[in-house]
């Protein structure tokens, strides 16, 4: 089901060049974007989230050792032939979900940070606004976060960033905003007008505990800003710093997401996402519940 009717946002940038250091050792040889939650790679969840909102053009920023992402979004002639030959044609639809959309791949030669990764997509994005989804953040497929953000973008015609409140101890893991709530009839208590953004501040320097989660609707003028920023936290070109600089030129809004999100780039978050999304699958749900009930008795 496609949620949004106006389909104003057509394109999404999916940064996938990170080294996956939080998930070593497996990411030494496998891209973290290809780690499976149940039977689909992480990046497929971002793609499906976009497709539900009428977004079908993807610019994927890859890096070294990420070739399997391109293979995943390509046809596999040999596999198809083998499935047909062995009478498993019913699986063809499952391996061809990429046919719903268009994909462009850009290789970020140096891992210089998220701001730099987004800038690599500049030649492939026209004047239009676009979405950015960070694949580590898995949003429960029943939520309508991205559709709501597009709706807010359509109201204000300004960039929109997804936020969640995090405990003080986690503030230094995120981009953190300062801002004021906007009175808004449809999204009462959930829309912020942002006045500052700081990448991964210590708690004493944090303007709030509203954290940027990996969903953004951005406007094209962010590219010019990203071209001019200096390296920030960790010596990397930070998207957060670019957005903070963009505040000098235009309003930016935050949308407080109160639904379910999993940080699948973190080992425990990945386990939580796997169990939760497995429990939503009718073919596994009852058996998994029974299994967990029995299992916990033995620990
Ligand atoms: C990135 C952003 C950060 C944001 C986070 C959300 O950080 O730089 O501002 O809060 O994603 O997941 P990363 O987790 O890639 O270090």
């Amino acid at each position: 089901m496609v949620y949004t009717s106006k389909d104003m946002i057509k394109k999404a940038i999916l940064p996938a060049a990170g080294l996956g250091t939080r998930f070593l050792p497996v990411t030494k040889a496998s891209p973290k974007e290809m780690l499976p939650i149940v039977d689909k790679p992480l990046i497929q969840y971002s793609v499906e989230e976009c497709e539900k909102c009428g977004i079908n053009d993807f610019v994927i920023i890859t890096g070294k050792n990420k070739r399997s992402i391109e293979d995943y979004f390509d046809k596999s002639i040999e596999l198809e032939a083998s499935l047909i030959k062995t009478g498993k044609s019913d699986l063809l639809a499952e391996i061809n979900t990429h046919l719903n959309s268009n994909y462009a791949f850009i290789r970020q030669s140096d891992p210089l940070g998220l701001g730099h990764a987004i800038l690599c997509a500049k030649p492939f994005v026209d004047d239009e606004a676009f979405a950015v989804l960070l694949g580590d953040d898995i949003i429960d497929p029943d939520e309508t976060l991205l559709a709501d953000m597009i709706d807010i973008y359509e109201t204000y015609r300004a960039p929109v960033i997804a936020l969640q409140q995090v405990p003080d101890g986690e503030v230094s893991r995120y981009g953190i905003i300062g801002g004021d709530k906007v009175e808004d009839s449809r999204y009462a208590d959930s829309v912020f007008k942002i006045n500052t953004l700081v990448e991964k501040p210590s708690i004493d320097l944090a303007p709030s505990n509203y954290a940027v989660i990996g969903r953004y609707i951005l406007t094209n003028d962010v590219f010019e800003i990203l071209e001019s920023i200096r390296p920030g936290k960790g010596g990397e070109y930070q998207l957060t710093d670019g957005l903070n600089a963009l505040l000098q030129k235009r309003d930016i809004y935050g949308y407080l997401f109160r639904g379910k999100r999993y940080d699948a780039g973190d080992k425990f978050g990945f386990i939580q996402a796997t169990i939760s999304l497995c429990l939503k699958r009718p073919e596994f749900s009852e058996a998994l519940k029974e299994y967990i009930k029995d299992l916990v008795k033995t620990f």
Side-chain angles (χ1 to χ4, degrees), residues 22 32 114 134 136-137 173-176 198-200 211-216 236 238-240 261 263:
R22 287 194 294 159
K32 75 172 168 187
L114 182 58
L134 307 185
D136 281 0
D137 286 301
R173 289 173 23 190
Y174 293 94
I176 300 291
V198 190
E199 179 69 1
K200 303 191 175 107
V212 174
I213 55 169
R215 299 292 180 274
Y216 309 76
E236 295 187 339
Q238 298 291 351
L239 177 60
T240 306
R261 157 191 165 260
D263 178 6

Side-chain angles (χ1 to χ4, degrees), residues 20 80 87 114 125 130 140-141 152 155 195 198 241 262 298:
E80 283 190 21
L114 182 58
V125 180
F130 56 92
D140 187 290
I152 294 166
T155 305
N195 56 38
V198 190
D241 294 344
Y262 307 96
T298 67

Side-chain angles (χ1 to χ4, degrees), residues 49-117:
E49 194 181 329
C50 286
E51 287 175 339
K52 275 201 293 192
C53 295
I55 297 173
N56 292 92
D57 293 340
F58 294 95
V59 181
I60 301 183
I61 316 296
T62 69
K64 282 187 183 50
N65 302 325
K66 303 279 186 170
R67 187 62 62 79
S68 57
I69 301 177
E70 290 180 42
D71 290 341
Y72 180 77
F73 289 110
D74 194 4
K75 211 172 161 67
S76 174
I77 310 269
E78 303 82 357
L79 180 58
E80 283 190 21
S82 160
L83 290 176
I84 291 166
K85 202 168 152 197
T86 52
K88 294 177 186 153
S89 318
D90 52 319
L91 293 175
L92 286 178
E94 294 201 26
I95 64 162
N96 279 326
T97 53
H98 63 279
L99 295 175
N100 301 330
S101 291
N102 308 305
Y103 301 89
F105 297 91
I106 303 175
R107 196 146 155 155
Q108 185 190 19
S109 315
D110 293 307
L112 295 178
L114 182 58
H116 179 260

